[in-house]
C-alpha cells in the first residue's frame, strides 16, 4: 500500500499570499496518477488537480500542481477567502487508492 | 449537469446491515467507473470500493472486504453499497463519486449519507 504524507498539517496564511502544500509518497506513483481535492466544512470534496498537474473543469488557474515519482506539490498562487479549506492528495495508480491525511489551510 | 445523490444512511446496531444507494443523473452512467469513499467524523478520507463501468470488476478495501459489496444497475443509473456485519468503526459519511477512468481521479461527488453504528 502506498502511504501518502501531507505537509504541513496546518498552514496559516493571509489572503493574497502564496500557499505551497506538499504530498510525499512511500513509493513512486505510476504515471503521475496523483490528484488533489479541496474540502470545505459540511461539503463533499471537490477535484482540483488530476494527473499531478492537470486542472479539473472550472478550477481557477491560481491552482497548480506539480511533481512526479514520490514528491508532489499543490500551489495556490494568490489566496482568495474561499480557498481556506482542507486539502487532500490521493494516488489512484495502485490499489488501494490511498489518500493523504490532509492539510488544513487556515486564515492567519 | 452531473448529479449524484446518496440515500440509505441511518442508525444501525453493531452487526447490522444497511444498503446505500447513489442515484446518478446528467451523464451516461454506464460509461463511467464509480466509487465509494467514506469519512469518519472529524477524520480524513478513506477509500472504500470501486466498480467498473459494466460492473464486471470490483474492488474493496481490506477494511471492508467480505462485509461490503459494491454493485450497480446501469438500467436504473444507480450505484449501491451493501454493508453487512457493521462495526462502530464503519460509522462515517459515505460519498459516492464518479471516476474519470480506470484508473482515474474522482471528478464528481455526491453530498454524502451518514451511517451511524451504535447500540
Amino acid at each position: 500500500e502506498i502511504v501518502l504524507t501531507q505537509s504541513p498539517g496546518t498552514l496559516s496564511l493571509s489572503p493574497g499570499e502564496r500557499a505551497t502544500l506538499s504530498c510525499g509518497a512511500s513509493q513512486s506513483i505510476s504515471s503521475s496518477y496523483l490528484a488533489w481535492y479541496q474540502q470545505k466544512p459540511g461539503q463533499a470534496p471537490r477535484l482540483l488537480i488530476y494527473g499531478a498537474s492537470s486542472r479539473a473543469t472550472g478550477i481557477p488557474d491560481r491552482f497548480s500542481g506539480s511533481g512526479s515519482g514520490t514528491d508532489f506539490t499543490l500551489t495556490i498562487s494568490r489566496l482568495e477567502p474561499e480557498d481556506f479549506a482542507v486539502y487532500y492528495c490521493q494516488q489512484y495508480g495502485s490499489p488501494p487508492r490511498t489518500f493523504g491525511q490532509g492539510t488544513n489551510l487556515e486564515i492567519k | 449537469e452531473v448529479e449524484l445523490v446518496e440515500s440509505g444512511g441511518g442508525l444501525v446496531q453493531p452487526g447490522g446491515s444497511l444498503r446505500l444507494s447513489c442515484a446518478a443523473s446528467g451523464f451516461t452512467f454506464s460509461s463511467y467507473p464509480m466509487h465509494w469513499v467514506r469519512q469518519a467524523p472529524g477524520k480524513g478520507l478513506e477509500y472504500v470500493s470501486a466498480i467498473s463501468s459494466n460492473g464486471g470488476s470490483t474492488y474493496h478495501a481490506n477494511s471492508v472486504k467480505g462485509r461490503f459489496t459494491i454493485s450497480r444497475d446501469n438500467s436504473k443509473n444507480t450505484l449501491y453499497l451493501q454493508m453487512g456485519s457493521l462495526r462502530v468503526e464503519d460509522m462515517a459519511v459515505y460519498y459516492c463519486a464518479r471516476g474519470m477512468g480506470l484508473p482515474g481521479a474522482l471528478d464528481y461527488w455526491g453530498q454524502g449519507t451518514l451511517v451511524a453504528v451504535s447500540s
Side-chain angles (χ1 to χ4, degrees), chain A:
Chain A
E1 172 176 323
I2 297 177
V3 177
L4 299 180
T5 302
Q6 293 185 239
S7 61
T10 300
L11 184 57
S12 300
L13 294 170
S14 300
E17 290 192 292
R18 181 184 185 91
T20 303
L21 288 67
S22 296
C23 178
S26 59
Q27 54 188 282
S28 185
I29 296 174
S30 59
S31 303
S32 295
Y33 288 141
L34 191 285
W36 290 92
Y37 302 88
Q38 176 194 66
Q39 187 179 34
K40 298 179 181 178
Q43 296 185 16
R46 177 175 72 144
L47 177 65
L48 299 174
I49 300 288
Y50 64 94
S53 61
S54 297
R55 269 187 303 276
T57 303
I59 301 304
D61 60 7
R62 65 179 181 274
F63 291 90
S64 63
S66 63
S68 64
T70 61
D71 295 299
F72 298 86
T73 300
L74 174 69
T75 301
I76 310 171
S77 58
R78 283 181 56 86
L79 285 166
E80 298 287 343
E82 62 267 26
D83 298 337
F84 292 92
V86 179
Y87 291 83
Y88 295 95
C89 59
Q90 183 208 18
Q91 68 82 19
Y92 51 94
S94 304
R97 297 169 169 230
T98 44
F99 289 91
Q101 83 280 15
T103 289
N104 181 27
L105 177 57
E106 64 176 26
I107 299 178
K108 188 174 182 179

Side-chain angles (χ1 to χ4, degrees), chain B residues 37-54:
Chain B
V37 175
R38 69 184 181 183
Q39 186 170 36
K43 303 297 184 182
L45 301 171
E46 180 187 10
Y47 189 79
V48 176
S49 298
I51 189 166
S52 60
S53 58
N54 65 3

Side-chain angles (χ1 to χ4, degrees), chain B residues 79-103:
Chain B
L79 175 71
Y80 302 102
L81 186 66
Q82 180 68 48
M83 311 165 68
S85 302
L86 281 161
R87 305 167 180 168
V88 170
E89 55 265 34
D90 294 319
M91 183 159 61
V93 173
Y94 284 73
Y95 296 101
C96 67
R98 189 181 83 168
M100 296 177 72
L102 270 180

Side-chain angles (χ1 to χ4, degrees), chain B residues 5-66:
Chain B
V5 179
E6 301 95 335
S7 60
L11 176 63
V12 62
Q13 292 186 337
S17 299
L18 214 53
R19 188 177 83 158
L20 306 183
S21 299
C22 171
S25 60
F27 65 103
T28 304
F29 180 71
S30 60
S31 296
Y32 291 85
M34 296 294 296
H35 307 259
W36 289 100
V37 175
R38 69 184 181 183
Q39 186 170 36
K43 303 297 184 182
L45 301 171
E46 180 187 10
Y47 189 79
V48 176
S49 298
I51 189 166
S52 60
S53 58
N54 65 3
S57 177
T58 62
Y59 169 85
H60 297 87
N62 286 339
S63 58
V64 306
K65 196 172 293 182

